[in-house]
Amino acid sequence: MPVILRYAPSYNALAVYETANAASPADGPMADPKANASVVKFHSGLQYPTLKTQFDAVANLPALEGETIVRPPTTYYRGAYHQGQLSLGSHGQADVPIIKAALVNYGGRSLLPIEGSLIIEQPTGQFVSGTPLAENSRFFRAIEVGIAGSTVYLNYFGYVPAGTRFGGLPSRTLTVRVWVYDWVIDGSPTRYNAAQPLLSFSPTRITVGRGQFDTDYSYIRANTGNENSLFATTATTEIAGTSGEGFAEANWGWRYSVDGWTYQGQTISSSYAAPFKRVKLP
Amino acid sequence: MTLRWQGGALQLTRPDGTVIFNSDEQLFHGTDYLTGSFSFDAQEVYMTGPENGSYVNTTDTTVLKPVHPNATHLVGFFRRVWGPTSTRNGTSTVFVENTSTWGELWKEISGTHIFSTAPLDNTRTRTADQPVMYYFIGSIFTGTFTIENSSMVFKRRLIMRASTTPSTASYRYVYQPSVTITYRALAGFFT
């Protein structure tokens, strides 16, 4: 079907949509774009999160080794859990914005999207003898992205297992790319300005929808053939099995799997792979 | 700045060639603002000896808010505030979870988040002063915000299991504090 660009004063809207007859276009997409989503490509009444800024930040994760607990006559080499947060910079918005993030050049990926608690590695600790611990495969280190006030943080947490003394989890320097969208999640798009026209052309700039869509900014795109990130649709981690009881060891397992980035641990027989939508971020 | 039809598609490009809009592509737009909070009660499991104990194995879904029938994805943040921890018979809570200093932290909402974990030591014969070792992950609480049947939902997976303890020692507990989760999200879809 042909694609038309149409301004309709009766709907106070400008839209781009497919219609069977361009000479006599359907009104439905103008009147109710959400109900005609299959043909609407753009509508000035819809709300498009706008990229405000993006930046790369360096985060230094500390090394983690196990504890040594001396209780004579026995010395125990116990595992350990650690957690913390590292500042990545300011998001610059007045309240809670939309943020997406990815690791840059990590694990063979030019961009590794941080969706949920992203498992980035498993321990490699050894006994004093140099023998790798079997428990390594049960534990992990994960990262997440958060904000507190105006600061964007990288959260990290992870385990090394019992017996670890050497090289449980090494220190790591991560580069994190952060995209900040100019939209406070309170129902008020900050780009909207009722005083602006529905459509404005200048030699260097076009704005549509009273400033909501602006060629000086970038948007979340898909189906471009040049996607560089993704949005998970639902769960990124599966917990399979049961807790068990009594003496039995844990008979459940965890599996993080998104777009081929997979880690799993403990007892699990799952091929779970998270559904997602590929997107193009600037 | 160029607005043109090319190959049947309407394209908007900057002078440097950067595509801002192409009608053959898709753009994400929001349909529903979603704010609110919900809570889960505290839970506890314990071992009464080296062979016996209680456990939790829960999978449930909390329906939060209706969304547009076409909405497929969520962006935004959530945060959690934990209730008080607990001690029992002089044995500290061993459930390892993110500390209260993270209570004011908003976390990006996509995917599955690991809310808390605890190690498991299933040593059958142990001395009274032997510390709990980290042989397994015994307990885990994960949560996923997603869209199902035109609603924003929270899917919880909770497994809890305590470590073994000598029969002469106090019960060893794993205690999952209550938690209140607050969310601020935007549902939407690609057109």
Side-chain angles (χ1 to χ4, degrees):
Chain A
M1 285 193 290
V3 174
I4 65 167
L5 168 65
R6 183 184 178 197
Y7 169 62
S10 56
Y11 297 109
N12 193 30
L14 182 143
V16 177
Y17 61 98
E18 294 177 342
T19 188
N21 184 354
S24 180
D27 283 350
M30 298 296 299
D32 189 350
K34 293 178 182 176
N36 293 273
S38 63
V39 297
V40 170
K41 305 298 183 180
F42 175 83
H43 192 288
S44 58
L46 298 178
Q47 298 168 334
Y48 301 93
T50 305
L51 182 74
K52 178 65 175 179
T53 186
Q54 71 180 76
F55 59 88
D56 286 2
V58 173
N60 294 305
L61 299 185
L64 179 67
E65 295 188 354
E67 289 182 77
T68 300
I69 300 175
V70 179
R71 289 181 178 171
T74 306
T75 297
Y76 297 98
Y77 299 108
R78 188 167 87 151
Y81 176 88
H82 78 155
Q83 57 186 343
Q85 55 189 220
L86 301 166
S87 172
L88 298 177
S90 172
H91 61 67
Q93 303 301 293
D95 204 337
V96 179
I98 295 167
I99 285 180
K100 300 301 288 186
L103 293 182
V104 180
N105 295 325
Y106 184 83
R109 304 288 181 104
S110 56
L111 282 177
L112 179 62
I114 303 174
E115 296 286 293
S117 301
L118 170 65
I119 308 295
I120 60 169
E121 61 185 329
Q122 292 186 286
T124 57
Q126 301 175 347
F127 288 109
V128 178
S129 65
T131 304
L133 290 159
E135 293 89 345
N136 283 331
S137 63
R138 300 166 189 161
F139 295 88
F140 58 82
R141 176 150 62 181
I143 59 171
E144 303 170 324
V145 171
I147 60 173
S150 61
T151 302
V152 182
Y153 286 100
L154 184 76
N155 310 319
Y156 61 88
F157 56 97
Y159 283 100
V160 293
T164 304
R165 289 193 68 195
F166 304 104
L169 281 167
S171 60
R172 289 203 180 279
T173 298
L174 304 177
T175 299
V176 185
R177 182 159 301 165
V178 178
W179 293 272
V180 180
Y181 287 84
D182 184 14
W183 200 307
V184 175
I185 302 175
D186 63 357
S188 302
T190 56
R191 298 292 311 158
Y192 182 84
N193 183 345
Q196 289 194 23
L198 266 176
L199 179 62
S200 171
F201 281 92
S202 79
T204 58
R205 187 179 190 184
I206 300 173
T207 64
V208 182
R210 307 194 190 288
Q212 286 193 81
F213 193 87
D214 187 327
T215 54
D216 276 359
Y217 294 88
S218 297
Y219 300 86
I220 301 170
R221 298 157 58 203
N223 199 31
T224 66
N226 192 28
E227 282 73 21
N228 59 355
S229 191
L230 57 83
F231 281 8
T233 306
T234 181
T236 50
T237 297
E238 181 184 53
I239 305 296
T242 61
S243 60
E245 59 180 329
F247 174 73
E249 59 189 43
N251 57 345
W252 59 273
W254 55 268
R255 177 182 170 91
Y256 181 98
S257 184
V258 181
D259 192 22
W261 184 267
T262 300
Y263 279 99
Q264 63 183 32
Q266 297 196 147
T267 302
I268 189 165
S269 57
S270 169
S271 58
Y272 181 75
F276 61 85
K277 174 84 171 178
R278 293 194 189 281
V279 300
K280 172 71 170 125
L281 302 179
Chain B
M1 199 61 59
T2 305
L3 178 65
R4 64 180 174 183
W5 264 267
Q6 182 161 319
L10 180 65
Q11 295 182 356
L12 189 56
T13 56
R14 291 181 184 146
D16 65 2
T18 302
V19 176
I20 303 300
F21 173 80
N22 182 331
S23 63
D24 276 351
E25 301 176 354
Q26 295 177 316
L27 286 174
F28 180 78
H29 66 87
T31 56
D32 306 273
Y33 293 99
L34 304 154
T35 62
S37 63
F38 57 102
S39 299
F40 292 106
D41 292 337
Q43 293 204 54
E44 178 180 82
V45 295
Y46 55 92
M47 296 298 287
T48 57
E51 302 289 348
N52 302 296
S54 60
Y55 66 96
V56 169
N57 182 22
T58 299
T59 302
D60 57 19
T61 299
T62 302
V63 179
L64 300 174
K65 292 283 179 66
V67 299
H68 189 276
N70 290 335
T72 54
H73 290 83
L74 295 168
V75 293
F77 282 84
F78 74 94
R79 69 180 176 188
R80 67 225 172 155
V81 176
W82 295 103
T85 56
S86 175
T87 60
R88 185 72 70 108
N89 292 335
T91 302
S92 298
T93 299
V94 296
F95 205 89
V96 179
E97 42 92 11
N98 297 332
T99 68
S100 59
T101 60
W102 290 18
E104 295 305 309
L105 188 73
W106 291 90
K107 304 178 100 174
E108 203 275 322
I109 203 167
S110 65
T112 301
H113 289 264
I114 298 171
F115 277 50
S116 56
T117 54
L120 171 67
D121 179 349
N122 67 337
T123 302
R124 184 185 293 268
T125 303
R126 40 190 312 133
T127 59
D129 65 346
Q130 183 174 340
V132 172
M133 307 297 276
Y134 287 48
Y135 294 138
F136 299 93
I137 302 173
S139 303
I140 194 165
F141 173 6
T142 66
T144 306
F145 287 94
T146 188
I147 294 172
E148 281 187 354
N149 302 318
S150 300
S151 290
M152 178 187 185
V153 303
F154 180 80
K155 302 176 78 70
R156 180 177 65 150
R157 189 77 169 91
L158 177 62
I159 285 180
M160 295 176 66
R161 156 78 197 282
S163 297
T164 56
T165 184
S167 58
T168 56
S170 302
Y171 294 175
R172 188 175 300 281
Y173 285 79
V174 171
Y175 184 80
Q176 167 70 65
S178 63
V179 62
T180 298
I181 302 166
T182 303
Y183 56 90
R184 298 176 70 175
L186 176 66
F189 62 99
F190 291 83
T191 54

